[in-house]
C-alpha cells in the first residue's frame, strides 16, 4: 500500500534527515483530518500529537510548488542542507531522471512510502 507523508516546512528544516528514493524509512506522523474528511499524515520530529507511524520504502518524492502543483524530485535534502548549513550538501533539488537542478523556494514535500499493510 502506498502512503503519502507530507514532509518539510519547519519540522524538516529543524532536524530532518535527507530522504531519498528507495530509502527504507520510519516516519512519526501527525494524523490530521481536514474538515472535508481527507486525512493528512505530516512528518513530525517533535512530540506534537504524533499518532501514526509509517514504515516502508520510499517510492516517490515530489516538491510542492506554487498553487499546489507538484514536481518529482530525486531526494529531499536534510534540514540543515536546506538551510545552507551542511558543508557536504548544497541542498539543491534535482529531477530524478535527468539530474537537472530544479529551482524552487518551496520546502514542502510529498514522500510516497510503500508499506506492507
Amino acid at each position: 500500500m502506498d502512503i503519502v507523508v507530507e514532509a518539510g516546512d519547519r519540522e524538516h528544516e529543524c532536524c530532518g534527515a535527507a530522504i531519498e528514493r528507495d530509502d527504507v524509512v520510519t516516519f512519526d506522523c501527525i494524523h490530521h483530518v481536514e474538515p472535508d474528511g481527507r486525512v493528512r499524515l505530516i512528518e513530525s520530529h517533535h512530540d506534537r500529537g504524533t499518532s501514526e507511524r509509517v514504515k516502508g520504502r520510499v517510492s516517490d518524492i515530489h516538491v510542492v510548488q506554487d498553487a499546489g502543483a507538484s514536481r518529482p524530485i530525486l531526494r529531499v535534502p536534510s534540514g540543515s542542507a536546506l538551510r545552507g548549513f551542511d558543508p557536504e550538501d548544497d541542498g539543491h533539488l534535482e529531477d530524478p531522471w535527468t539530474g537537472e537542478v530544479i529551482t524552487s523556494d518551496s520546502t514542502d514535500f510529498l514522500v510516497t512510502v510503500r508499506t506492507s499493510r
Side-chain angles (χ1 to χ4, degrees):
M1 167 190 273
D2 286 348
I3 298 175
V4 176
V5 174
E6 297 177 33
D9 202 26
R10 292 184 201 141
E11 280 283 323
H12 189 79
E13 285 184 25
C14 169
C15 46
I19 305 165
E20 298 189 24
R21 288 167 180 258
D22 294 323
D23 278 355
V24 174
V25 297
T26 300
F27 288 121
D28 289 319
C29 298
I30 297 168
H31 184 111
H32 179 78
V33 180
E34 293 289 328
D36 64 4
R38 185 174 57 96
V39 174
R40 294 172 53 205
L41 295 175
I42 304 162
E43 170 194 38
S44 179
H45 297 281
H46 305 96
D47 187 14
R48 294 189 181 171
T50 301
S51 62
E52 190 163 337
R53 182 167 278 181
V54 176
K55 294 181 181 183
R57 185 173 301 275
V58 175
S59 62
D60 204 5
I61 304 173
H62 286 80
V63 60
V64 179
Q65 298 177 315
D66 297 332
S70 66
R71 179 171 180 178
I73 57 173
L74 180 64
R75 64 189 286 271
V76 176
S78 70
S80 59
L82 287 170
R83 292 189 328 271
F85 295 124
D86 187 329
E88 297 177 25
D89 184 350
D90 66 6
H92 75 274
L93 305 179
E94 67 183 69
D95 183 277
W97 299 281
T98 66
E100 169 190 343
V101 173
I102 296 171
T103 303
S104 176
D105 292 330
S106 177
T107 58
D108 295 323
F109 306 96
L110 302 175
V111 180
T112 303
V113 179
R114 183 152 295 152
T115 68
S116 59
R117 17 175 190 168

